[in-house]
Amino acid sequence: MKKILRQLQVITLLSIALISTACNRPVKKDLPIEKEHAKLIKNIGNGNVQCGMQDKAGNLWFGTSDNGLYKYNGKSFSQFLVTNGLNSNNISCLLEDKDGKIWIGTDEGLCLYDGTTFSKIQIPLPKNLPTKKEELYRNSHWVFSILQAKSGKLWFATIDGVYLFDGKTFTPFVVNEASGGYLSSNNNVERILEDKAGNIWFGGRGNEGVYRYDGTSVTNFKLKEITLQFESRRVSHNWAWPQLEDKNGDIWFSNWGGAYRYDGKTFTSYTKSDGLPGYNGIVAKIIEDKNGTLWFGGDAGLSRYDGKSFSLFKVGLNNPWIWEILEDKTGNLWVGTRNTGLYLFDGKTFIDYTEVKR
């Protein structure tokens, strides 16, 4: 009996000690609830997030094909539409020039944003321009891409041809008079790139290969055709969009069947048979990040290339078709997709930054 009482006393003392310890333990305060990040509000149609840039102040800008232009300051999104002064809600390219002004290419031409207002810029067109092929684009003045060269001059690739702007005057630049173009006989260039040596590269659908301008003459480089299975058809392409020059000095190009790499002597193609992910092998965008890693955006998600093999990432993407990849100054990757999707890539998955307004 004494033994049992002694055991009960021990248990009682232990219980009191535990209760005392629990009472004296600091109470864990509720941690602050992290607010949900701001989102790009999609309120017009579907379309794409098809271009992006970061300005000198650190703001991110995204152009869409239906919902106009968005500015993200890290806390909130501002949307700009025709009602705010844009000439169109279909934004195809963006560039901040050396003076801090933002040039905006749309399907209706050019806009210039000075930080306060949007101004419509008219490119004077030659009088002898042929009529556009398709009725849908008959009245369009689409600007596909904009480049500011090291010289400070601006290059514009448009549905009405290529133009060079010296700050005062727009001058037509003929790349290839014999080229057929895609939407019209004049739009034989849709992408422009300046390499480290100062050469200007041109590429567009409808061309055979790509073109390089060395400041004196234009040289055409023919490309091996890339064939892909598109639904029930087999389609071949030998055109290319110049995308970037990597840290090794190689220049990368994309097309609807894959990609090309030019090492200064030879063009090497990359397709599904080389491990490039994709339903059809389509590549719309290529960038190189600060670490020298290449990223490819296409019809199946985001692909990382380490120089030997491709790795595909698509977890979290509502639509895997990628039009735009942007690395910001902190090293974050932003991805723009069809259906006006905007995502932040955390290295493994995609965080959705789009909200549909109903």
Side-chain angles (χ1 to χ4, degrees), residues 2-16:
K2 290 181 179 179
K3 185 177 181 180
I4 293 173
L5 288 172
R6 205 175 287 115
Q7 288 176 343
L8 287 173
Q9 289 174 345
V10 171
I11 292 171
T12 302
L13 289 171
L14 286 173
S15 299
I16 293 171

Side-chain angles (χ1 to χ4, degrees), residues 38-166:
K39 290 189 176 182
L40 174 156
I41 305 297
K42 179 180 77 170
N43 49 17
I44 307 172
N46 289 317
N48 313 312
V49 173
Q50 52 191 16
C51 59
M53 56 157 265
Q54 186 168 25
D55 64 25
K56 294 180 177 68
N59 301 302
L60 299 176
W61 296 79
F62 299 99
T64 74
S65 57
D66 282 340
N67 283 268
L69 180 65
Y70 292 88
K71 175 185 175 182
Y72 179 55
N73 63 9
K75 296 180 180 179
S76 62
F77 284 90
S78 301
Q79 184 182 26
F80 302 95
L81 299 164
V82 169
T83 52
N84 304 110
L86 286 172
N87 60 356
S88 172
N89 290 334
N90 185 348
I91 312 297
S92 49
C93 54
L94 297 166
L95 178 133
E96 183 182 26
D97 67 21
K98 294 177 181 177
D99 297 322
K101 294 180 180 179
I102 296 176
W103 294 82
I104 304 155
T106 78
D107 61 344
E108 293 297 328
L110 277 174
C111 263
L112 185 63
Y113 183 63
D114 63 4
T116 305
T117 58
F118 294 94
S119 303
K120 298 176 184 178
I121 306 296
Q122 182 67 46
I123 298 177
L125 304 179
K127 295 180 180 180
N128 60 345
L129 281 182
T131 303
K132 295 182 177 70
K133 293 178 178 180
E134 300 182 36
E135 182 66 32
L136 181 62
Y137 303 102
R138 195 63 51 85
N139 297 316
S140 170
H141 297 292
W142 210 329
V143 178
F144 302 118
S145 60
I146 309 170
L147 165 74
Q148 185 162 36
K150 296 180 181 71
S151 64
K153 294 181 179 181
L154 292 166
W155 292 84
F156 301 91
T158 82
I159 197 171
D160 298 308
V162 176
Y163 295 85
L164 187 59
F165 182 60
D166 62 4

